[in-house]
Amino acid sequence: MPKALEGVRVLGATRMLAGPYVEMLLADMGAEVLHIELPGQGDDSRYFAPLINGEGSCFIASNRNKKSITLDLRTEEGQEIFRELAQNSDIVVENNRPGTMDKWNIGYESLKEINPGIIMTSVSGFGQTGPYRNRAGLDIIAQAMGGLMFMTGQEDGPPTRVGNAMGDFLVGLYAVYGTLTALYYREKTGQGQHVDAALLDSVIAVLENVIPNYVALGKVTSRIGSRIPGIAPYNIYKAKDGYVVIGVSSNTLWERFTNVIGRTELQEDPRFATPSLRVKNVEELDVITQNWVSQKTVEETVSILNEAGVICGPVYSVDQMIQDPHVIAREMAADLEHPIAGKLKVSGVTPKLSLTPGIIETAPPTLGQHNEEVYKGLLGISEDRLKTLTERGVI
Amino acid sequence: MPKALEGVRVLGATRMLAGPYVEMLLADMGAEVLHIELPGQGDDSRYFAPLINGEGSCFIASNRNKKSITLDLRTEEGQEIFRELAQNSDIVVENNRPGTMDKWNIGYESLKEINPGIIMTSVSGFGQTGPYRNRAGLDIIAQAMGGLMFMTGQEDGPPTRVGNAMGDFLVGLYAVYGTLTALYYREKTGQGQHVDAALLDSVIAVLENVIPNYVALGKVTSRIGSRIPGIAPYNIYKAKDGYVVIGVSSNTLWERFTNVIGRTELQEDPRFATPSLRVKNVEELDVITQNWVSQKTVEETVSILNEAGVICGPVYSVDQMIQDPHVIAREMAADLEHPIAGKLKVSGVTPKLSLTPGIIETAPPTLGQHNEEVYKGLLGISEDRLKTLTERGVI
């Protein structure tokens, strides 16, 4: 199978989650990614609990399909080697504090001089510009300042963090969108550029109509549990043995839904005659729906509703999710054989490309696994010099 | 300023949120996007509450920088015109139920015959393959079945939907990642392909290490409020007049934090000596942190901690967020002048590209605003035929 990004070399001076995730998205599509790690120590995420046979599962989850080389970018010699690597690369991904790459003389302006086609993608908490550019960011800070936490949670409860590091994934996805846009432009013109992706910006970018609703209508979107403002019923309901979600998003679905729960009289009920009346009277609708679901198991509810063509689904925990036949068929819990951690599963590749499908080819590398290959093979560094560099801790 | 995707024409047979968002990401970077809508009716999201001067704010939020043409794809003549448009396009984005485009004879296999370079990006609830491919999906279904809801919420509360349509944004972002990957490959080889993006797959893709943690360690990730498993303190705290978040993610930060809250004796406390001990004794740490925050306003807390270099931030509602000087400097609440809805703000463009920055150039189009331009200008349809097509409701 051909790989879409075959021949694209990516230099990754990143650690933790967001930066490594950008690299992984490029690697999944066939780019050669050199993940640069601190000699003798490596990416912090290698040590984050929980460990699987001593290997951090965070690192395992975000570093497949890559090569690992060690290089101390704080040393002048390390910077010189980085510049040599950058001359032979297409993309640099980095998630250091803004200004750090410049301080090390490997910022975009320096690299552009030696390789005008280079694309540098910088991932940071607050971006390369603006008053907070020098502040460190974390996923939870972006979720909070971006307005997402305030909107997430129960109506009578506190703002709530989304249960994964969503900000890190969002900034990773926006960064790869910018990087591939820049790569296409470079293919046309030969010119590289600097892509500036920020955690905070990325959370703000997914706020739907929240900003115009406030600016034009004065509406401050707040927490409403699992409901949404425009559709009812659309919520989570408790079955005998777990939870289900149901979304009745059209008049056709409303008819199907009231038929299948044996409440056809609701179709004539003036309180529920239109979508906006159903939203207005959502409390009553949720009680009706909850009462119906309460008498059934998750499996019964989902099977009855699906058969009737009503949009619904079980609320899965991870153990249930990875056993779902559809998830299995889509290979979204994908096999990964790790030399130390053993046989695992990880989140699969998406989307599915018909001609150049992304694949999981190699396990996350051990620290410095590809030093010889890269330093000798690509840069032609001699055995002797490599030994010296290693002894001095540069590599 | 040059535009990265100048000269790329995108045909969008989509509606609602996820599909239109893919189109918008391409439009923001300079592609010409023709958003196809049902004659006389248009995209459903034009009517979704809330309305701003009669214009649905959902539509406003996801359709800037595009052109609108009307075309009834259910008619044979509409399909014929679509094929003509596809011959003159680079990318087709669609979010109909799987099989619909084939039924209309404008599926990938048909379009490929008349335009081998065409890239078709299909966005759907469950994807083009697998046992549930014919089921309709909604954001909440993907959040539930993908395992994200189970992980989001308070420890003693129910699974909770993320407060925006996160599944729709995720699938939009993954779809654009696949589309740009395919566009790069086409630039190299001339070959197009079919990109299959699914809501459910996209939620599973962002589960971090949740799958390997279960498969290797039997750990089922569940709800823990705003904490995370690996760092403490890392949580939301209630100040006098609102909420703040604080993340003490290293030993250096722990030292700074205990210094600034005047609790240096904690540095010698064996309960908190290492990051993993702090995680183990998170309850005590959260009480200590909460007590300190309780006596201060949000602004006091954030200003004291930021000055000390401790990672923190306010929990913003939308009205607070759009006034933040950094958000203003990054133009993440961007101006949009709408001919009917008036002067608005919407989520800005991210990431920032140095050479070909994405920009907001035109307001979301009115229904069929570009019919003449496209049908006469691009396809050379005569005034007479256009009139007939309009009368018959094809356009």
Side-chain angles (χ1 to χ4, degrees):
Chain A
M1 288 276 199
K3 294 175 189 169
L5 301 183
E6 182 106 58
V8 175
R9 185 173 292 129
V10 179
L11 215 51
T14 74
R15 59 187 186 284
M16 301 290 286
L17 179 51
Y21 191 64
V22 178
E23 297 171 16
M24 190 175 100
L25 290 173
L26 298 170
D28 280 359
M29 293 299 178
E32 181 190 16
V33 174
L34 310 183
H35 187 55
I36 297 174
E37 303 185 68
L38 209 57
Q41 184 173 334
D43 194 324
D44 310 300
S45 70
R46 288 185 180 272
Y47 309 101
F48 265 40
L51 305 178
I52 303 174
N53 290 344
E55 300 281 310
S57 69
C58 285
F59 186 83
I60 289 174
S62 306
N63 290 285
R64 67 194 182 206
N65 289 336
K66 299 182 194 175
K67 297 175 178 174
S68 164
I69 58 173
T70 53
L71 189 60
D72 190 344
L73 298 175
R74 299 168 306 188
T75 66
E76 269 187 41
E77 234 172 334
Q79 294 157 13
E80 191 45 55
I81 292 172
F82 186 88
R83 275 189 290 271
E84 276 181 62
L85 288 168
Q87 272 184 297
N88 293 286
S89 297
D90 303 280
I91 297 167
V92 169
V93 184
E94 63 96 13
N95 68 348
N96 297 285
R97 201 79 76 87
T100 307
M101 296 291 277
D102 290 326
K103 193 182 73 188
W104 291 338
N105 297 308
I106 50 174
Y108 175 65
E109 294 303 325
S110 308
L111 297 186
K112 184 186 170 181
E113 275 177 35
I114 54 172
N115 181 355
I118 198 85
I119 293 161
M120 178 182 277
T121 298
S122 294
V123 175
S124 62
F126 293 93
Q128 306 297 309
T129 63
Y132 307 159
R133 67 185 174 283
N134 293 322
R135 285 193 197 167
L138 282 171
D139 173 72
I140 196 173
I141 311 296
Q143 290 200 26
M145 294 180 70
L148 185 60
M149 273 184 93
F150 191 85
M151 297 160 52
T152 301
Q154 299 303 311
E155 208 163 346
D156 52 1
T160 306
R161 177 181 172 272
V162 179
N164 71 335
M166 191 60 91
D168 283 311
F169 283 96
L170 289 172
V171 72
L173 283 160
Y174 281 107
V176 87
Y177 151 62
T179 304
L180 290 170
T181 297
L183 188 65
Y184 176 78
Y185 187 72
R186 194 196 70 164
E187 201 58 28
K188 291 271 197 190
T189 64
Q191 292 180 282
Q193 57 183 312
H194 192 186
V195 176
D196 166 11
L199 265 168
L200 177 58
D201 295 358
S202 304
V203 172
I204 297 173
V206 300
L207 291 184
E208 304 171 14
N209 51 356
V210 167
I211 296 176
N213 286 352
Y214 171 69
V215 174
L217 307 170
K219 182 178 150 48
V220 174
T221 301
S222 186
R223 299 174 290 290
I224 50 171
S226 294
R227 288 178 180 159
I228 60 172
I231 302 174
Y234 185 106
N235 208 343
I236 183 172
Y237 305 95
K238 201 171 189 331
K240 282 188 206 166
D241 57 345
Y243 292 92
V244 299
V245 291
I246 302 172
V248 182
S249 55
S250 72
N251 285 328
T252 311
L253 288 168
W254 171 242
E255 212 178 290
R256 288 184 197 161
F257 175 68
T258 43
N259 284 342
V260 76
I261 68 167
R263 298 292 299 269
T264 48
E265 83 280 6
L266 298 175
Q267 293 167 15
E268 314 300 322
D269 192 320
R271 290 175 301 167
F272 310 128
T274 67
S276 51
L277 282 167
R278 293 196 288 275
V279 168
K280 199 180 153 201
N281 297 300
V282 59
E283 299 285 351
E284 290 97 312
L285 272 183
D286 272 346
V287 171
I288 291 167
T289 310
Q290 179 56 64
N291 286 342
W292 184 76
V293 173
S294 294
Q295 299 155 35
K296 298 185 173 49
T297 63
V298 169
E299 205 180 312
E300 284 163 0
T301 312
V302 167
S303 123
I304 292 168
L305 293 180
N306 269 324
E307 198 153 320
V310 175
I311 305 181
C312 69
V315 176
Y316 278 151
S317 50
V318 59
D319 49 322
Q320 299 169 321
M321 182 270 283
I322 66 169
Q323 290 180 55
D324 182 283
H326 191 79
V327 174
I328 292 169
R330 298 283 291 179
E331 296 179 58
M332 284 311 298
D335 293 319
L336 179 86
E337 178 119 28
H338 191 281
I340 296 162
K343 276 189 187 237
L344 298 172
K345 285 186 188 292
V346 291
S347 293
V349 177
T350 189
K352 314 295 185 190
L353 273 65
S354 62
L355 183 61
T356 60
I359 46 168
I360 301 181
E361 271 195 318
T362 58
T366 54
L367 182 60
Q369 188 183 332
H370 302 86
N371 277 353
E372 287 235 341
E373 178 186 327
V374 172
Y375 290 127
K376 283 191 186 170
L378 180 65
L379 297 191
I381 293 180
S382 71
E383 184 75 41
D384 270 5
R385 190 175 164 219
L386 198 59
K387 212 178 144 203
T388 320
L389 287 167
T390 309
E391 279 166 8
R392 292 222 313 283
V394 176
I395 279 174
Chain B
M1 288 277 198
K3 295 175 187 168
L5 301 183
E6 182 106 59
V8 174
R9 185 173 291 129
V10 179
L11 216 50
T14 74
R15 58 186 186 287
M16 303 290 285
L17 179 51
Y21 192 65
V22 178
E23 298 170 19
M24 190 175 100
L25 289 173
L26 298 170
D28 280 359
M29 293 299 177
E32 181 192 16
V33 174
L34 311 181
H35 187 56
I36 297 175
E37 303 186 69
L38 210 56
Q41 184 175 330
D43 194 322
D44 310 300
S45 69
R46 288 185 180 273
Y47 309 101
F48 265 38
L51 305 177
I52 302 173
N53 289 345
E55 302 282 310
S57 69
C58 284
F59 186 82
I60 289 174
S62 306
N63 289 283
R64 67 193 182 209
N65 290 336
K66 299 183 194 176
K67 297 176 177 173
S68 164
I69 58 173
T70 53
L71 189 61
D72 190 344
L73 297 175
R74 299 167 307 187
T75 66
E76 268 187 42
E77 234 171 333
Q79 292 157 15
E80 191 45 54
I81 292 171
F82 186 89
R83 274 188 290 272
E84 276 181 64
L85 288 168
Q87 272 183 297
N88 293 285
S89 297
D90 303 281
I91 296 167
V92 169
V93 184
E94 63 95 15
N95 68 347
N96 297 284
R97 200 81 75 85
T100 306
M101 296 292 276
D102 289 326
K103 193 181 76 190
W104 290 339
N105 296 309
I106 51 174
Y108 176 65
E109 293 303 325
S110 309
L111 297 185
K112 183 187 170 182
E113 275 177 35
I114 55 173
N115 182 354
I118 198 88
I119 293 161
M120 180 182 277
T121 298
S122 294
V123 175
S124 62
F126 293 95
Q128 307 296 308
T129 62
Y132 308 158
R133 67 185 175 281
N134 293 321
R135 285 193 196 166
L138 284 170
D139 172 71
I140 196 174
I141 311 296
Q143 291 199 26
M145 293 179 70
L148 185 60
M149 274 184 91
F150 191 84
M151 296 160 52
T152 302
Q154 299 303 311
E155 207 162 346
D156 53 0
T160 306
R161 178 182 171 273
V162 179
N164 72 336
M166 191 60 89
D168 283 312
F169 283 95
L170 289 172
V171 72
L173 283 160
Y174 280 107
V176 89
Y177 153 60
T179 304
L180 291 170
T181 298
L183 188 66
Y184 176 78
Y185 188 71
R186 194 195 71 162
E187 202 57 28
K188 290 272 197 190
T189 64
Q191 292 181 285
Q193 57 183 314
H194 192 186
V195 176
D196 167 12
L199 266 167
L200 177 58
D201 295 358
S202 304
V203 171
I204 296 173
V206 300
L207 292 185
E208 305 170 16
N209 51 355
V210 168
I211 297 177
N213 285 352
Y214 171 69
V215 173
L217 307 171
K219 181 177 152 46
V220 174
T221 301
S222 187
R223 299 175 290 290
I224 50 171
S226 294
R227 288 178 181 161
I228 59 172
I231 301 173
Y234 186 106
N235 207 345
I236 182 171
Y237 305 94
K238 202 170 188 331
K240 281 189 203 164
D241 58 347
Y243 292 93
V244 300
V245 291
I246 302 171
V248 182
S249 54
S250 72
N251 285 328
T252 311
L253 288 167
W254 171 243
E255 211 178 291
R256 289 184 195 161
F257 175 69
T258 43
N259 284 341
V260 76
I261 69 169
R263 297 292 299 268
T264 46
E265 83 279 7
L266 298 176
Q267 294 167 14
E268 314 300 320
D269 192 320
R271 290 175 302 167
F272 309 129
T274 66
S276 52
L277 281 167
R278 294 196 287 275
V279 167
K280 199 180 154 203
N281 297 302
V282 59
E283 299 286 350
E284 289 97 311
L285 272 182
D286 273 347
V287 171
I288 291 167
T289 310
Q290 179 56 64
N291 286 343
W292 184 77
V293 173
S294 295
Q295 300 156 32
K296 299 187 171 46
T297 64
V298 169
E299 206 181 309
E300 284 163 0
T301 312
V302 167
S303 123
I304 292 169
L305 293 179
N306 268 324
E307 198 152 320
V310 175
I311 305 181
C312 69
V315 177
Y316 277 151
S317 51
V318 58
D319 49 323
Q320 298 170 321
M321 184 270 284
I322 66 169
Q323 291 179 52
D324 183 283
H326 191 79
V327 173
I328 292 169
R330 298 282 292 178
E331 296 180 56
M332 284 312 297
D335 293 319
L336 180 85
E337 178 117 30
H338 191 280
I340 297 163
K343 276 189 188 237
L344 298 172
K345 285 186 187 293
V346 292
S347 293
V349 177
T350 189
K352 314 294 184 191
L353 273 64
S354 62
L355 184 61
T356 62
I359 46 168
I360 302 181
E361 272 196 318
T362 60
T366 55
L367 182 60
Q369 187 182 333
H370 302 87
N371 276 353
E372 288 235 342
E373 178 187 326
V374 172
Y375 290 128
K376 283 187 182 171
L378 180 65
L379 297 191
I381 292 179
S382 71
E383 183 74 42
D384 271 7
R385 191 176 163 219
L386 198 59
K387 213 177 143 204
T388 319
L389 287 168
T390 308
E391 280 166 7
R392 293 220 314 283
V394 176
I395 280 173

